[in-house]
Amino acid sequence: MTLIPSSKLASAPSLLSPLPCINKPISQKKIESVLNHHIPGLTSSERIMASHIVGYPRMGPKRELKFALESFWDKKSSAEELEKVAADLRASIWKQMADAGIKYIPGNTFSYYDQVLDTIALLGAVPPRYNWSGGEIGFDTYFSMARGNASVPAMEMTKWFDTNYHFIVPELGPDVKFSYASHKAVNEYKEAKALGVDTVPVLVGPFTFLSLSKPAKGVEKTFNKLSLLDKILPIYKEVIADLKAAGASWIQFDEPILVMDLESHQLQAFTKAYSELESSFSGLNVLIETYFADVPEEAFKAVTSLSGVSAIGFDLVRGAKTLDLIKGGFPAGKYLFAGVVDGRNIWANDLAASLTTLQALEGIVGKDKLVVSTSSSLLHTAVDLVNEPKLDKEIKSWLAFAAQKVVEVDALAKALSGAKDEAFFSANAAAQASRKSSPRVTNEAVQKAAAALRGSDHRRATNVSARLDAQQKKLNLPILPTTTIGSFPQTLELRRVRREYKAKKISEDGYVKAIKEEISKVVKLQEELDIDVLVHGEPERNDMVEYFGEQLSGFAFTANGWVQSYGSRCVKPPIIYGDVSRPNPMTVFWSSTAQSMTKRPMKGMLTGPVTILNWSFVRNDQPRFETCYQIALAIKDEVEDLEKAGINVIQIDEAALREGLPLRKAEHAFYLDWAVHSFRITNCGVQDTTQIHTHMCYSNFNDIIHSIIDMDADVITIENSRSDEKLLSVFREGVKYGAGIGPGVYDIHSPRIPSTEEIADRVNKMLAVLDTNILWVNPDCGLKTRKYAEVKPALQNMVAAAKQIRTQLASAK
């Protein structure tokens, strides 16, 4: 195989372009021929280099799975048609990874929704409310757990470690009855094998699965989740036996929970679990994969001490300190899967630096025990640069998406074996040098302004209680004011208008007219529903981060750089390559236009600096907090321009503040200090009468509630309904919150329409722990992904519930 210099990647055929379903097996002879095209004189065993990919994006280069899922959910296509799209995607990825030279190709990393939900299905851990009667779990039960149905809500969803990917949270109690209820792992192994590709089946490890679960209702405070290990390990043994019988020689267990701060009893449970599984591992090579951070020393000792485990994978990008542990002693005879190619970002690997690291590791573990790998699954990066023909050529030379990262892994493995592609390495070195010296990366004025921020904490001059009094005099809102989070449904017609405007098929006047009409429709609907504080619906916005990034300097954008967020939902993160500033106002025109259509308060809608940072691919050549301060200054300018334009309520979303929290507790304080500071910078200059809202999405907020209070927002709206109102527990435990707060009263990620009674019940639970004069009534999140047929009745019921309780409160006086 001749590797392609990065300067020629744009014109080369796509490494992972969509392929038709493969109908005949790939011969081993063909694979070796492709792998070794330019490496003469090597034996067959030497030619297959030690390379590995932890996992791969599942949506497809053009989001093929997304569209197939949504068509199936809308009953426009059959289960067989959905399965055909999925099979084609799997076959394409497996074949092309084999052709690229990867020795250890991951299997079972494909999912119709989420890999943790797949594990719930594998173990038959279906909550009783879904009325599953046993047997192999099918689409009905699977998607009901993920999305809810007409009768019951979906399972809780939260962030996967510190990523923007969401997983379905297992609900487990002492009475759950596990069973081997999904044969997906072995079926996909057989599917790949029939195509001539021997994959490494990947399973979410039992320790991580239980650690990420939540206790079922009624046993939250008394139940030890790890006590279920004895119940689930027999299922894992069945799966292992099936995979072994099918011919698997390697199995990968993902145990990323090992990078967290774990107590000794937890590590003992981990060790016990794999000791119990050891008898099942006979005749297999077992890889335990960790990622997203350093592995603490005690966890490192625990995982490297397991006698039945053949290999251990470490993230050496975000876990650079793990290198010191490896140098201090790595067990002889075990494979080290060295994650030196970044699975979380899109910058091209510094191949020379990685090769130096690998050569040092080779001296510790031995040449035949070192495997070049990605730092994590490539699920968290975009699919293929070849799908970006319009991306700036210089910036493009600095990047590597998933397909290019596969090439980088293979190139490093070959270089390590003595078959270094000098042209490829030279092109990479030139791109690294170009990025360091490019004048478009640095803006001295921006750097000085950001550096000057460190001398103050940027708090508003008046406390929140006094501000709320001033704001109420101006806004005159009822108790339990109703609002929504920002976006309204993005219809096909609306998307068409934006697409055609971008393609210059309609004029600017035509575009503005169409967007104004949509805003008018949204405003009138909210007035008809009698919502108190309105939004303009964000019809002009493609994405809550991309929209702002397109108007800020230092950002670049892709056409197809999609990354899965949850289910079929994909986001297209901007690329922050240089210093950030705001050349012009970004939202003032649309917010002012919307306010002119109503006498009710209209929220100006902004995305906060921490969320823009955490939902972008961020430059890795300066500390993240420096980039965040730059973004905060840009948003500050926008906030002050909105206030000057007469917008009295401004929402600065920090949906991703919690997800950026480092995985290790020792690093929390530093992150929260600069993240909260960044938010306060954005609004420290506004008048007391300007009400500042913020919004936060799915996460576990209870452990950072004091930092949320320290943000000093006037009102916070926050996810609550899908997490079984877990947020309210922090107030039951005595935390005093004096600002306005709107815990979400219904889940917008499900098509289910909640009743007035259900919403009223939820509000009454909130009133049991929150003062009447600070509580707001709102959905969990924005309504962009929903249909108007769902949104109208849901909001109608929400307003009706608020009015019902207002009446009850008034009569109780």
Side-chain angles (χ1 to χ4, degrees):
M1 174 182 176
T2 304
L3 296 174
I4 306 166
S6 57
S7 60
K8 297 181 180 179
L9 277 173
S11 60
S14 171
L15 175 68
L16 289 171
S17 56
L19 290 181
C21 191
I22 304 156
N23 296 316
K24 58 183 181 179
I26 310 161
S27 70
Q28 187 66 23
K29 184 176 180 181
K30 170 63 175 173
I31 293 173
E32 291 189 5
S33 172
V34 172
L35 291 178
N36 306 304
H37 185 257
H38 70 314
I39 313 174
L42 298 181
T43 68
S44 176
S45 61
E46 290 171 324
R47 286 173 180 167
I48 299 204
M49 304 301 171
S51 54
H52 168 250
I53 305 297
V54 175
Y56 201 81
R58 54 184 70 128
M59 280 290 128
K62 299 290 179 67
R63 294 181 292 163
E64 291 87 345
L65 182 60
K66 168 189 172 65
F67 299 121
L69 282 167
E70 292 172 359
S71 176
F72 174 71
W73 292 336
D74 289 341
K75 297 181 168 52
K76 294 177 181 176
S77 59
S78 66
E80 291 74 22
E81 289 171 303
L82 173 58
E83 289 167 341
K84 174 67 164 58
V85 171
D88 286 356
L89 284 170
R90 289 192 296 266
S92 174
I93 292 167
W94 290 329
K95 177 186 183 299
Q96 293 181 22
M97 271 206 228
D99 286 350
I102 302 303
K103 181 176 181 180
Y104 300 110
I105 297 170
N108 197 41
T109 56
F110 172 86
S111 177
Y112 286 103
Y113 205 93
D114 163 52
Q115 68 268 17
V116 180
L117 180 59
D118 292 349
T119 311
I120 293 170
L122 180 145
L123 296 169
V126 181
R129 65 180 178 274
Y130 297 105
N131 296 319
W132 174 61
S133 57
E136 189 81 3
I137 289 176
F139 281 157
D140 284 351
T141 301
Y142 182 86
F143 288 130
S144 289
M145 289 191 287
R147 307 177 71 237
N149 57 41
S151 305
V152 291
M155 295 176 71
E156 180 183 347
M157 183 169 66
T158 196
K159 299 291 176 72
W160 178 246
F161 294 85
D162 58 348
T163 74
N164 187 30
Y165 177 81
H166 302 66
F167 73 96
I168 300 295
V169 181
E171 302 171 16
L172 304 176
D175 300 325
V176 64
K177 291 180 171 57
F178 296 101
S179 64
Y180 188 3
S182 170
H183 291 68
K184 174 181 177 292
V186 70
N187 290 341
E188 289 185 13
Y189 176 78
K190 291 176 180 177
E191 184 182 322
K193 192 173 181 182
L195 297 170
V197 182
D198 188 19
T199 57
V200 178
V202 178
L203 301 173
V204 175
F207 182 61
T208 290
F209 176 79
L210 291 180
S211 298
L212 294 179
S213 67
K214 69 174 186 178
K217 281 187 177 180
V219 296
E220 292 91 343
K221 293 184 178 179
T222 59
F223 183 60
N224 174 15
K225 299 175 292 186
L226 293 176
S227 67
L228 294 174
L229 274 169
D230 289 341
K231 291 187 177 182
I232 68 171
L233 291 179
I235 314 291
Y236 274 90
K237 288 180 180 180
E238 287 188 69
V239 178
I240 293 165
D242 273 1
L243 288 168
K244 195 191 304 186
S249 56
W250 280 83
I251 297 180
Q252 174 179 320
F253 291 92
D254 281 4
E255 292 285 10
I257 202 73
L258 288 173
V259 306
M260 304 292 283
D261 295 306
L262 300 175
E263 296 179 10
S264 58
H265 74 90
Q266 293 171 302
L267 289 173
Q268 287 167 9
F270 165 77
T271 301
K272 179 184 175 184
Y274 280 90
S275 297
E276 175 66 26
L277 290 174
E278 185 176 342
S279 61
S280 303
F281 295 159
S282 176
L284 285 171
N285 286 297
V286 172
L287 163 65
I288 291 184
E289 186 65 56
T290 68
Y291 38 80
F292 296 153
D294 285 300
V295 175
E297 185 172 0
E298 291 307 310
F300 180 86
K301 290 177 182 176
V303 71
T304 55
S305 299
L306 294 174
S307 58
V309 170
S310 320
I312 306 149
F314 295 111
D315 181 338
L316 300 182
V317 176
R318 291 183 172 233
K321 293 177 185 175
T322 304
L323 277 170
D324 293 331
L325 294 175
I326 295 169
K327 290 172 183 176
F330 190 80
K334 290 193 189 296
Y335 291 88
L336 171 62
F337 281 59
V340 294
V341 173
D342 194 350
R344 292 279 299 274
N345 216 329
I346 43 67
W347 302 106
N349 187 272
D350 184 339
L351 295 178
S354 292
L355 185 58
T356 299
T357 298
L358 290 165
Q359 287 167 336
L361 291 172
E362 189 178 63
I364 297 168
V365 303
K367 194 179 190 72
D368 62 334
K369 295 297 181 182
L370 182 63
V371 179
V372 183
S373 186
T374 53
S375 66
S376 67
S377 172
L378 299 176
L379 176 69
H380 310 290
T381 190
V383 178
D384 196 341
L385 265 178
V386 171
N387 294 322
E388 305 299 334
K390 295 182 180 179
L391 190 59
D392 178 275
K393 289 183 179 179
E394 182 184 28
I395 294 173
K396 191 173 182 178
S397 74
W398 304 340
L399 308 179
F401 289 0
Q404 288 69 45
K405 290 176 186 292
V406 170
V407 173
E408 290 178 337
V409 167
D410 181 64
L412 286 166
K414 285 182 167 61
L416 201 58
S417 71
K420 183 179 179 183
D421 186 320
E422 296 292 351
F424 188 71
F425 271 70
S426 294
N428 174 267
Q432 298 289 325
S434 161
R435 185 176 167 215
K436 287 178 182 175
S437 62
S438 176
R440 67 201 305 176
V441 170
T442 305
N443 182 324
E444 287 188 17
V446 170
Q447 296 224 340
K448 286 180 181 177
L453 294 172
R454 298 174 201 174
S456 168
D457 64 0
H458 296 90
R459 292 182 184 274
R460 292 171 76 177
T462 312
N463 68 41
V464 68
S465 178
R467 298 198 309 263
L468 288 173
D469 287 344
Q471 291 156 15
Q472 178 59 18
K473 288 175 184 175
K474 188 166 189 174
L475 298 174
N476 193 29
L477 297 173
I479 61 167
L480 306 181
T482 54
T483 190
T484 63
I485 303 306
S487 61
F488 264 64
Q490 298 248 329
T491 63
L492 291 174
E493 174 62 17
L494 185 56
R495 293 173 191 270
R496 181 193 63 79
V497 168
R498 285 207 311 266
R499 188 169 58 249
E500 291 187 356
Y501 176 60
K502 197 169 186 178
K504 299 182 178 177
K505 292 181 179 178
I506 59 174
S507 67
E508 183 171 356
D509 288 345
Y511 171 73
V512 169
K513 180 174 181 287
I515 298 298
K516 282 184 176 180
E517 287 173 355
E518 182 69 19
I519 292 173
S520 176
K521 182 177 77 172
V522 169
V523 170
K524 286 177 181 175
L525 173 61
Q526 292 171 93
E527 288 183 328
E528 289 168 6
L529 292 168
D530 204 16
I531 292 174
D532 300 304
V533 176
L534 310 190
V535 298
H536 76 290
E538 305 176 11
E540 78 284 10
R541 303 186 190 183
N542 45 9
D543 175 83
M544 66 181 288
V545 174
E546 184 176 6
Y547 176 79
F548 290 94
E550 285 175 339
Q551 301 180 77
L552 296 169
S553 65
F555 282 74
F557 301 88
T558 64
N560 291 292
W562 298 100
V563 179
Q564 185 182 15
S565 178
Y566 65 88
S568 68
R569 168 84 168 133
C570 299
V571 294
K572 191 149 56 73
I575 298 165
I576 304 177
Y577 67 84
D579 291 334
V580 178
S581 62
R582 186 199 73 147
N584 298 296
M586 301 180 286
T587 66
V588 175
F589 173 77
W590 295 117
S591 292
S592 301
T593 298
Q595 184 64 81
S596 71
M597 297 175 179
T598 182
K599 293 182 180 179
R600 301 187 185 210
M602 174 64 61
K603 283 197 281 191
M605 300 300 305
L606 304 175
T607 302
V610 184
T611 296
I612 290 177
L613 183 89
N614 285 336
W615 285 357
S616 297
F617 290 124
V618 183
R619 58 190 295 189
N620 58 1
D621 59 346
Q622 70 177 17
R624 289 172 70 87
F625 71 83
E626 291 186 12
T627 302
C628 199
Y629 284 158
Q630 293 176 3
I631 302 169
L633 286 173
I635 300 300
K636 181 177 186 291
D637 290 344
E638 188 72 12
V639 168
E640 292 172 4
D641 280 349
L642 282 168
E643 184 182 57
K644 289 173 189 172
I647 304 301
N648 296 315
V649 182
I650 302 171
Q651 181 170 309
I652 308 166
D653 286 346
E654 283 297 11
L657 187 139
R658 172 61 175 79
E659 88 180 35
L661 192 70
L663 299 177
R664 306 290 285 282
K665 290 177 183 176
E667 300 168 15
H668 286 190
F670 178 67
Y671 166 79
L672 288 169
D673 180 66
W674 63 255
V676 170
H677 187 192
S678 295
F679 177 83
R680 289 201 307 263
I681 287 166
T682 65
N683 59 88
C684 62
V686 300
Q687 300 173 25
D688 286 357
T689 51
T690 297
Q691 189 167 84
I692 298 296
H693 288 224
T694 190
H695 171 69
M696 293 187 177
C697 288
Y698 290 109
S699 278
N700 181 4
F701 301 108
N702 295 23
D703 56 348
I704 63 163
I705 190 67
H706 293 289
S707 293
I708 292 173
I709 293 170
D710 198 38
M711 291 170 71
D712 199 27
D714 297 311
V715 178
I716 179 169
T717 53
I718 200 162
E719 182 277 329
N720 173 66
S721 64
R722 191 160 181 171
S723 60
D724 292 328
E725 295 154 356
K726 194 176 357 181
L727 170 71
L728 299 185
S729 66
V730 76
F731 301 112
R732 293 189 190 102
E733 292 163 8
V735 171
K736 297 297 181 185
Y737 192 75
I741 184 167
V745 297
Y746 79 90
D747 176 23
I748 66 88
H749 293 86
S750 169
R752 181 174 170 273
I753 298 166
S755 66
T756 299
E757 292 72 24
E758 181 183 329
I759 295 174
D761 179 62
R762 200 160 256 148
V763 174
N764 279 321
K765 287 179 180 176
M766 296 173 190
L767 287 172
V769 293
L770 294 167
D771 292 340
T772 307
N773 62 342
I774 67 170
L775 186 63
W776 285 63
V777 178
N778 47 262
D780 262 348
C781 205
L783 305 170
K784 174 181 177 179
T785 61
R786 299 267 57 90
K787 297 179 173 62
Y788 273 104
E790 300 155 357
V791 166
K792 289 179 183 178
L795 291 179
Q796 194 169 31
N797 293 347
M798 183 188 83
V799 173
K803 289 181 176 180
Q804 178 181 307
I805 296 175
R806 286 174 196 161
T807 302
Q808 292 170 0
L809 291 170
S811 63
K813 287 183 179 179

